[in-house]
Amino acid sequence: MGQSFLKTKLSELDEFKSDPNFWRFGFGQGGPYHKWLVSVNEKRDAHDFTIEERIEVAELQQMGLDYIRSRGRETEYTKAARGQILEVIESDK
């Protein structure tokens, strides 16, 4: 369940991270990307996710914030976080 959520939300983030409206509005309330952040925040303490999945949900949230600062460009942080998230997505549990 957590793997599927992470995969979906990472894909969504990849779709909008380079959108100038994302850099302008970020995850601000009422903005087009606020719902993404809310959905990620709700899963940080999901009881049906493993501890590893919950950790990577937090990493995904931080990646989103980093993409605002970098205007959608990969940073050392986003590269490392992406690798960790993909490991969890691809793991056999």
Side-chain angles (χ1 to χ4, degrees), residues 3-51:
Q3 290 170 311
S4 175
F5 177 82
L6 284 165
K7 185 175 183 178
T8 298
K9 292 302 172 182
L10 180 60
S11 177
E12 290 173 0
L13 179 60
D14 285 339
E15 287 178 25
F16 66 72
K17 71 180 183 180
S18 298
D19 182 342
N21 282 324
F22 175 58
W23 311 332
R24 182 174 177 202
F25 300 110
F27 294 115
Q29 204 165 19
Y33 307 106
H34 182 71
K35 286 182 182 179
W36 182 92
L37 183 62
V38 169
S39 70
V40 170
N41 282 339
E42 288 174 350
K43 293 297 186 181
R44 288 181 66 179
D45 296 317
H47 298 293
D48 54 341
F49 284 16
T50 67
I51 187 70

Side-chain angles (χ1 to χ4, degrees), residues 48-67:
D48 54 341
F49 284 16
T50 67
I51 187 70
E52 291 85 8
E53 291 166 342
R54 287 182 287 186
I55 289 169
E56 296 315 318
V57 168
E59 291 290 343
L60 183 63
Q61 176 187 14
Q62 190 58 46
M63 274 181 72
L65 296 171
D66 215 51
Y67 282 131

Side-chain angles (χ1 to χ4, degrees), residues 59 62-63 66-67 70 73-84:
E59 291 290 343
Q62 190 58 46
M63 274 181 72
D66 215 51
Y67 282 131
S70 71
R73 292 184 201 93
E74 294 296 331
T75 66
E76 289 302 315
Y77 175 78
T78 61
K79 289 176 192 175
R82 180 179 299 278
Q84 292 172 328

